[in-house]
Amino acid sequence: MSKTINDYNFDIVVIGAGHAGIEAGLAAAKMGLKTLVLAINLDTVGWAPCNPAVGGPAKGIVAREVDALGGQIAKTTDATMINVRMLNTSKGPAVRALRAQIDKHEYSMEMKRILESQENLFIRSGIASEILVENGKVTGVVTHFGVVYRCRAAVVTSGTFLRGKIFVGQKVFEAGRLGEFPAKALSQSLETLGFTLSRFKTGTPARIQGKSIDFSKMERQDTSDEPLAFSYFDEPRVLPKDYPCWLTHTNPSTHAVIRRDLKFSPLYGDVKLIQSIGPRYCPSIEDKVVKFSSKESHQVFVEPEGKNTDEYYLNGLSTSLPFETQVEMIRTVPGLENAVIVRPAYAVEYDYVTPDQLYPTLESKLVENLYFAGQVIGTSGYEEAAGLGIVAGINAAAKLLGMEQFVPKRSESYIGVMIDDLVTKGVDEPYRLLTSRAEYRLLIRHDNAHIRLSKYGYKYGLIPKWFYEKVLDLERQIEGEIERLNNVVVKPLSTLNNKLVAAGTSPIYQSTRLSQLLKRPQVSYEILKEFDPEPIEDLLLREQVEIQLKYEGYILRMEQELKRFERLEMEIIPPKVNYDEVPNLSTESREKLKKLRPRSIGQAMRIPGITPADIMNLSVYLKSLRNIGEGQKD
């Protein structure tokens, strides 16, 4: 049989077609490079194997950041969501975020369609079994079929498939997720190349037949009445209230069943089959019962999996207990007394590449042009994977094109926070983004991701010129409106004071700038609109102006801190600095600096165990090197 050589030659091969692989593949292809996406199962591209939802605190902001960079997750979420809400609306803008239930089947089909229609991008079925390397550089990927795909760079986004094992009680199956083959040989290939692999575990709840649920015993949670959208490219809309979520709770009877059968758990049982660490912020129900033994109930959110399926997801009841125990446990929960399990809950244990083996570009330190993204480097969550995937795809393509690689700063994005945490601090549990991880969270909000990041999306050719110009125009308008409102003076009219008192704040007794009134926590622009001679009609512009004025003092202080932070980030450490020559470093610091090789003094300061004295000694040494270099030039 004849074959065309071009069918097997690519610029970049992406291993995996989950949320990381999709963004990596699309980014590389849009940048003009011939890209192959390898998937074990082409029917589960962009699959949501756990919660059929996108977003939430920090995670929803990441989805918008990926969108601002030119990624796909937000657009496909908008196209397939069936229930959407804005979270933390009673709190400040730094912690607000969207969360949407998606139709997981429509989401997957739409993602596959997007990949198939993208120019320069090809998808093939195959399990990657070996990464080919010559002279320290990636040259190809071999599949379990024996097919060799030649390439100049590769991105590994293998999720939970590396030597994946599934646990239901004491039953163990080799699988990346329920019903899909694991990738065993790829783990061996990575170890042969010198990578350190470790093991994590995660899990997912049972899926329940909808017609077996008594929703009358649960609290209904409808989609938002306000028009919402994840993507800046999409028009916000109000969804029909056809697919609500439901809230119920576990109880002492539930917990009694769990405690009784803990001996059969692969994690807590007499025979401990799982030795690895699971996600702290998404624990199994048996974890909750053991670790919070005084708590008599836990929330369970019952969530639809899609419009054309009767399956429901039990958010909060993740477990790896035996099937029979799952049935008994679930039927103690109000509304689930007659529940029928369609798919059992299970735990999955898998290999991951410890992320301290990567540069902040997500390129590996061991093999040139080999990048990693998603759960394979110790993260959890679809949004985290998408954020890492788009950065890995951009950088793999940028390096081959001779462009500057993209290292998002932790001061300008949650993606930057995540990457810096991973490569600098490593992981000892599956990493999850939280708003508390971001020091500058008031600057990297849900509402301004396009203002923060679209310049990079435009630089790498991932967003159109018209959109970038629209963002630049918005920035100019924000500055102009803030300056104008600083000069608009209102008199202490009774109509104004009545509105102020009704809002819960004090009246004014002398002429006051409109901007000063807007800084009061109780006062919104909507209250003051009629007193503005040039009212702001654009809602997005109004939101930005109001946030900037209301939090001006906090933002200014944070920006001052940021300047100090950036000075440390600009103090670059030469890549080949010899740490053995740095005087007075502690042994622990010397070993960590040699292993992690930070890019800057700022990054070095964030390495656990590095003391202020070590940083001072390193700074003095680097200054002496610069002085010697300048002296040699003279």
Side-chain angles (χ1 to χ4, degrees), residues 611-626:
T611 66
D614 292 321
I615 293 296
M616 184 182 69
N617 291 329
L618 179 58
S619 293
V620 169
Y621 176 74
L622 294 175
K623 187 176 180 180
S624 70
L625 287 183
R626 287 194 292 272

Side-chain angles (χ1 to χ4, degrees), residues 19-67:
H19 303 273
I22 286 169
E23 301 295 354
L26 287 173
K30 288 177 181 177
M31 290 172 70
L33 295 179
K34 186 180 179 185
T35 304
L36 172 68
V37 175
L38 270 178
I40 291 177
N41 185 352
L42 295 181
D43 296 324
T44 53
V45 169
W47 196 239
C50 199
N51 199 341
V54 171
K59 292 166 172 282
I61 301 174
V62 172
R64 300 203 104 194
E65 291 179 347
V66 173
D67 186 62

